[in-house]
Amino acid sequence: MLSAVERKIEQFVGELNDKEVSALYTKLPHGKRLRAKLILKIAGTSLSVVKTAAIVEMIHAASLLHDDVIDDAYTRRNKPSINALFGNKTAIMLGDILYSKGFLELNNISPQVAKIVSNAVVQLSLGELKDVSLSKAFNLDKEIYLEMIYQKTASLMEAAAGAAAVLADKDKVAYMTYGRNLGIAFQMIDDILDITMDSETLGKPALHDFEEGKTTLPYIYLYELLDAQEQKILKSLHTKKLSKSEEEWIKSKMQEHGIIQKSYAEAKLLVEEAISLMNALGEDALSSIAMAMIERDF
Ligand code: FPP
Ligand code: MG
């Protein structure tokens, strides 16, 4: 039924009555539509559910359009990003258009759903700003990192699950916890993959996060376990364009200290909590979505 969501997004974009925007939209890689999947699995496929899923995916797409400008990312999901193809100005405006059309449509759902989703967009914008600000320094505070990824990524998944629970008249708190845990784990895994995957599989340059100044969970853990001399070296590489040997050094130190496993275990814990919550509610499909997230190859 994800195709109903695709059609709804196309319809919303079509209603803008703008050939340029319709053409740009076709250049946008769709991704996994994870948020829409959660919404449909929780709330079924009534018209307002499909609309809510479409709105959330439009907001998510808008946030990634802006994010790729902010991160100077020229690929997204193995394809050229909109900023790479048409420049930053077009990418930002396409983001604004998708985002505002999504908000316009949100008014037609329900005040409670509108509140949950719009609050998440505030959080996600605050989170992205935090990400940018944290990248200017060498952040070693795990709590600050966790708060930032909650806001930047988990808030919209939490809201997707919460909005769906409201539409389906289900227990909002349990589903929001599920969405939040999944979102935090998702971003942790995204941050791990930036280190473990080669750039071709990743669809973007590997170790890009650290070059961009982002000290994600693996870097925070690595720093804690390095000796003073090595800590100095790691710090000196922060925000630098890394040479092959510097990349290798970081990767070998991560391996030596079991950093990837340690970070992955943290994500896994959150996913397991989400799974047991859903198992208790008999939501097998939602448990499976969570399971699939941690069953990837590292
Ligand atoms: C990806 O992070 C970024 C996000 C999930 C959130 C981005 C949010 C904004 C730009 C706020 C603006 C919001 C709207 C609605 C226009 P990442 O760079 O760590 O992940 P990546 O590897 O997918 O790039
Ligand atoms: Mg990014």
Side-chain angles (χ1 to χ4, degrees):
M1 275 314 274
L2 266 185
S3 58
V5 177
E6 289 316 329
R7 282 200 301 275
K8 188 50 75 186
I9 301 175
E10 282 158 20
Q11 183 201 321
F12 285 158
V13 171
E15 282 169 12
L16 297 167
N17 225 355
D18 187 293
K19 282 201 180 73
E20 185 182 358
V21 173
S22 295
L24 284 170
Y25 180 72
T26 63
K27 301 275 180 216
L28 211 57
H30 286 180
K32 299 173 288 294
R33 299 288 195 219
L34 176 59
R35 292 149 192 83
K37 249 184 227 164
L38 295 187
I39 293 172
L40 299 184
K41 295 282 185 224
I42 295 170
T45 51
S46 72
L47 183 58
S48 53
V49 172
V50 170
K51 279 185 179 175
T52 304
I55 291 164
V56 167
E57 287 295 341
M58 286 166 80
I59 293 171
H60 176 58
S63 77
L64 294 184
L65 281 162
H66 287 190
D67 180 67
D68 283 342
V69 172
I70 292 167
D71 287 347
D72 292 316
Y74 299 113
T75 48
R76 166 76 50 194
R77 299 176 180 124
N78 276 318
K79 286 193 179 160
S81 57
I82 297 291
N83 48 308
L85 289 172
F86 306 103
N88 287 348
K89 295 178 186 179
T90 301
I92 288 172
M93 287 322 300
L94 182 62
D96 286 345
I97 291 161
L98 292 177
Y99 162 76
S100 6
K101 175 64 172 165
F103 258 61
L104 183 62
E105 295 302 329
L106 193 55
N107 285 308
N108 301 325
I109 310 294
S110 85
Q112 205 186 348
V113 166
K115 196 171 170 182
I116 292 173
V117 174
S118 44
N119 176 51
V121 182
V122 174
Q123 292 306 314
L124 105 127
S125 308
L126 290 170
E128 183 79 352
L129 179 63
K130 213 166 265 171
D131 197 15
V132 170
S133 306
L134 286 175
S135 303
K136 291 177 187 154
F138 191 72
N139 175 55
L140 292 170
D141 189 327
K142 185 179 150 192
E143 290 313 310
I144 292 178
Y145 164 80
L146 287 177
E147 187 189 36
M148 182 273 288
I149 66 171
Y150 161 65
Q151 288 181 300
K152 177 179 81 164
T153 306
S155 60
L156 193 58
M157 288 202 205
E158 177 186 57
V166 166
L167 289 170
D169 212 10
K170 290 182 172 176
D171 174 9
K172 195 175 87 178
V173 176
Y175 289 87
M176 286 184 94
T177 307
Y178 167 83
R180 183 172 59 243
N181 280 21
L182 224 56
I184 297 173
F186 180 88
Q187 188 60 49
M188 283 177 171
I189 291 172
D190 191 69
D191 293 345
I192 292 171
L193 292 176
D194 183 78
I195 296 160
T196 57
M197 287 225 155
D198 60 81
S199 51
E200 210 168 293
T201 326
L202 205 55
K204 56 188 176 185
L207 298 189
H208 190 60
D209 284 347
F210 200 57
E211 288 186 11
E212 283 285 302
K214 298 181 187 190
T215 45
T216 55
L217 191 60
Y219 294 96
I220 295 174
Y221 281 155
L222 179 62
Y223 190 84
E224 281 170 6
L225 294 173
L226 291 176
D227 65 35
Q229 183 59 28
E230 292 169 330
Q231 285 181 337
K232 253 196 194 152
I233 298 176
L234 185 65
K235 224 171 183 170
S236 75
L237 297 178
H238 179 242
T239 68
K240 236 190 101 191
K241 174 94 198 83
L242 299 171
S243 68
K244 260 271 148 296
S245 67
E246 288 163 340
E247 272 185 23
E248 288 312 319
W249 184 81
I250 292 177
K251 286 189 179 184
S252 72
K253 287 293 155 191
M254 294 244 177
Q255 191 157 20
E256 191 181 318
H257 294 285
I259 297 301
I260 298 305
Q261 292 80 346
K262 188 173 152 91
S263 309
Y264 176 63
E266 184 125 359
K268 200 169 172 204
L269 220 58
L270 290 165
V271 172
E272 279 164 358
E273 196 193 326
I275 291 173
S276 46
L277 260 176
M278 289 304 116
N279 283 345
L281 293 168
E283 294 273 20
D284 296 349
L286 292 169
S287 299
S288 306
I289 290 180
M291 213 108 70
M293 190 180 283
I294 48 171
E295 276 170 0
R296 289 161 78 176
D297 196 7
F298 288 87

